[in-house]
Amino acid sequence: MTESSATKLLNGDACHRTLHGKNASKNGYVKNHCLFQQSQKYRRAREKRQNATTNPSLYQKPFVESFEETPLLVAVLTYMGYGILTLFGYLRDFLRHWNIEKCHVAREREQQKDFVPLYQDFENFYTRNLYMRIRDNWNRPICSVPGAKMDVVERVTHNYNWTFEHTGTVVKDVINMGSYNYLGFAENTGACADAAVEVTHAYGAGVGSTRCEMGNLDVHEELELLIARFLGVESSMAFGMGFATNSMNIPALTGKGCLILSDELNHASLVLGARLSGSTIRVFKHNNMQSLEKLLRDAIVHGQPRTHRPWKKILIVVEGIYSMEGSIVRLPEIVALKKRYKAYLYLDEAHSIGALGPQGRGVVNYFGLDPKDVDIMMGTFTKSFGAAGGYIGGRKELIDYLRCHSHSAVYATSMSPPVAQQIITSMKIIMGEDGTSLGADRLRQLSENTNYFRRKLLDMGFIIYGNDDSPVVPLMLYMPAKIGAFGREMLKRNIGTVVVGFPATPIIESRARFCVSAAHTKEMLDTVKICSLVQRYYQLERHLML
């Protein structure tokens, strides 16, 4: 992609909110930080700070995010816990080496001892000795629709989580707090399911070809027109896989001589796409406008390394909602910066589309911005729409270019017809074009559930991360022993949740992640928070007994 064509394809209109009198200030990553002056009810003594440039004039409403610094004692105990686990890991590896303890891990055959190793044993040290202790908390098979409640297949292990056996028992009516079913469309009944069944009878389950060959159906054309209208952009393109939407389209937009400025918490698909592009990558601190502006200034002043020629393109890559932090991007400030420094903006709305904004149109709608302020709008259908795949939206010239140059468009099989119909039906419901108020009701219910659940967890004394309006609610656990204990004890109480630890999070910031849905009732959320509190006191009592 040449410099001139890139400028033509990605050049957007001016931002409708300009940056007036921007002053550097130390605010942002603070417990319950708010851009406006407000009383802060849940403010704690310890704060986790991040330098960020903020300008309240860019925001139409308060922007509140909660991040609390790990207490020193908890951090020390957490490091001690990992240290003890590491020591025992080395001891167990020693016993395995001398065949005192049976080793279940895959190894090179004896006949290949003189070969260059295909993989290094030490690289799997964490998997063998730490992850395996709590592996039963992940990959649990379910045998129902992942709605507000689900059925989980019971399994047991006789070799300390190396292998599992199904007992034949099904745990019924487990409250689902782990799926990204934000609007409750992941169901096998209702308008979406009926429409998908009808399309399956007409077209079958698969296409067996790419869009540019024999796989372009009228439902695909209808879907893309609907997406463009939903987003408020000139044109859009749908892809069969959300991960590939990022990893295969970023290389089509940037290349050698281009600069990508990536948020440090960006998803793996964005990181992979940036690396595959061959562009120079520089990382800025999460949601830190001072860090981003410094990189933009340096890029313009110094240009490319060695030659100091101007960069062909500067692309800022961010997400709408960060799924591990529950944080919302500071989009108004980023738009102002990208317009000031003539950069381009790539916005990944995988978690925010359908879940944020008065009309459910994502973080752009949430902040009241013009969609033209964002050069490349990306999102997935795997969350709020209860389907699969992803999309790219923007100017018509951009989408026409991607149809010919994106590997995901040219080489990948097109989206399954029933999946496309599921998206069309759910999107029309959100837009209110089905003749009912179901979409508006679900958006309102999701917002109410999110605020209620976050408020109650704070009232109970839990430390939670993220924005007040984010349906992703991380509850901090910190210590490694709590990761496995929390997940197991919650399942015993018929609650399915996701627990996350290192390396997916910083080593001292392990957490449980709740995903709130419009399908959840107040009684379900009350059950979850009460069980969380019971589990907390259970752990405290056991700790005191020890």
Side-chain angles (χ1 to χ4, degrees), residues 246 250 266 270 315-322 328-331 334-335 344-350 352-353 361-365 367 369 371 373-380 391-393:
N246 279 330
I250 293 178
N266 276 345
L270 294 170
L315 181 66
I316 303 171
V317 180
V318 295
E319 294 186 48
I321 293 179
Y322 292 84
I328 297 177
V329 65
R330 295 176 179 272
L331 190 60
I334 290 179
V335 168
Y344 301 114
L345 178 58
Y346 187 108
L347 176 62
D348 179 346
E349 292 216 76
S352 53
I353 192 69
R361 296 178 181 178
V363 70
V364 176
N365 184 220
F367 287 112
L369 298 175
D373 292 338
V374 181
D375 301 292
I376 305 131
M377 299 184 70
M378 177 270 171
T380 63
Y391 66 83
I392 294 284

Side-chain angles (χ1 to χ4, degrees), residues 245-257:
T245 305
N246 279 330
S247 60
M248 293 290 99
N249 282 294
I250 293 178
L253 297 172
T254 64
K256 188 177 181 181

Side-chain angles (χ1 to χ4, degrees), residues 288-305:
N288 189 319
M289 298 303 104
Q290 287 180 339
S291 176
L292 175 59
E293 186 169 16
K294 184 179 185 302
L295 290 179
L296 285 167
R297 285 183 174 180
D298 290 346
I300 293 173
V301 171
H302 300 294
Q304 299 182 42

Side-chain angles (χ1 to χ4, degrees), residues 173-470:
D173 296 330
V174 176
I175 298 176
N176 183 6
M177 297 299 296
S179 297
Y180 306 129
N181 184 25
Y182 297 132
L183 292 181
F185 286 119
E187 295 290 346
N188 55 4
T189 58
C192 293
D194 294 341
V197 169
E198 184 177 346
V199 168
T200 303
H201 287 306
Y203 296 93
V207 178
S209 180
T210 63
R211 291 284 299 275
C212 57
E213 292 175 336
M214 298 296 293
N216 189 32
L217 304 179
D218 55 348
V219 290
H220 297 139
E221 301 278 353
E222 179 185 357
L223 173 61
E224 290 176 344
L225 291 174
L226 183 63
I227 294 169
R229 190 154 50 86
F230 180 64
L231 297 176
V233 296
E234 292 181 7
S235 184
S236 71
M237 185 174 185
F239 302 87
M241 181 181 178
F243 191 99
T245 305
N246 279 330
S247 60
M248 293 290 99
N249 282 294
I250 293 178
L253 297 172
T254 64
K256 188 177 181 181
C258 299
L259 175 65
I260 293 178
L261 301 180
S262 176
D263 190 290
E264 65 179 347
L265 297 183
N266 276 345
H267 190 262
S269 59
L270 294 170
V271 175
L272 178 60
R275 291 176 177 174
L276 290 175
S277 70
S279 305
T280 301
I281 305 170
R282 291 175 185 165
V283 178
F284 62 91
K285 294 179 181 178
H286 173 59
N287 253 354
N288 189 319
M289 298 303 104
Q290 287 180 339
S291 176
L292 175 59
E293 186 169 16
K294 184 179 185 302
L295 290 179
L296 285 167
R297 285 183 174 180
D298 290 346
I300 293 173
V301 171
H302 300 294
Q304 299 182 42
R306 294 192 299 273
T307 64
H308 300 291
R309 293 176 180 174
W311 296 99
K312 294 180 180 178
K313 284 192 292 290
I314 300 177
L315 181 66
I316 303 171
V317 180
V318 295
E319 294 186 48
I321 293 179
Y322 292 84
S323 61
M324 208 58 71
E325 302 289 326
S327 174
I328 297 177
V329 65
R330 295 176 179 272
L331 190 60
E333 297 174 68
I334 290 179
V335 168
L337 285 177
K338 78 105 179 176
K339 286 301 178 184
R340 169 177 291 185
Y341 294 100
K342 307 302 180 184
Y344 301 114
L345 178 58
Y346 187 108
L347 176 62
D348 179 346
E349 292 216 76
H351 288 268
S352 53
I353 192 69
L356 284 181
Q359 287 79 41
R361 296 178 181 178
V363 70
V364 176
N365 184 220
Y366 175 78
F367 287 112
L369 298 175
D370 192 321
K372 294 180 181 179
D373 292 338
V374 181
D375 301 292
I376 305 131
M377 299 184 70
M378 177 270 171
T380 63
F381 305 117
T382 56
K383 282 79 176 177
S384 298
F385 303 95
Y391 66 83
I392 294 284
R395 300 184 66 177
K396 186 178 185 301
E397 295 88 346
L398 168 68
I399 303 304
D400 290 344
Y401 178 87
L402 290 177
R403 291 188 192 279
C404 300
H405 293 83
S406 169
H407 284 68
S408 186
V410 177
Y411 299 110
T413 302
S414 57
M415 182 182 290
S416 172
V419 171
Q421 187 60 50
Q422 163 81 17
I423 301 166
I424 291 172
T425 307
S426 59
M427 191 173 290
K428 285 185 176 180
I429 292 175
I430 296 172
M431 298 170 70
E433 295 185 1
D434 62 330
T436 70
S437 62
L438 180 60
D441 293 342
R442 292 197 178 186
L443 287 168
R444 183 176 63 255
Q445 188 63 52
L446 175 62
S447 178
E448 291 177 359
N449 286 352
T450 298
N451 293 326
Y452 174 79
F453 190 61
R454 282 183 167 271
R455 185 175 68 252
K456 289 300 181 180
L457 288 180
L458 284 171
D459 288 341
M460 294 164 66
F462 287 105
I463 299 174
I464 62 173
Y465 275 9
N467 192 285
D468 286 1
D469 293 324
S470 169

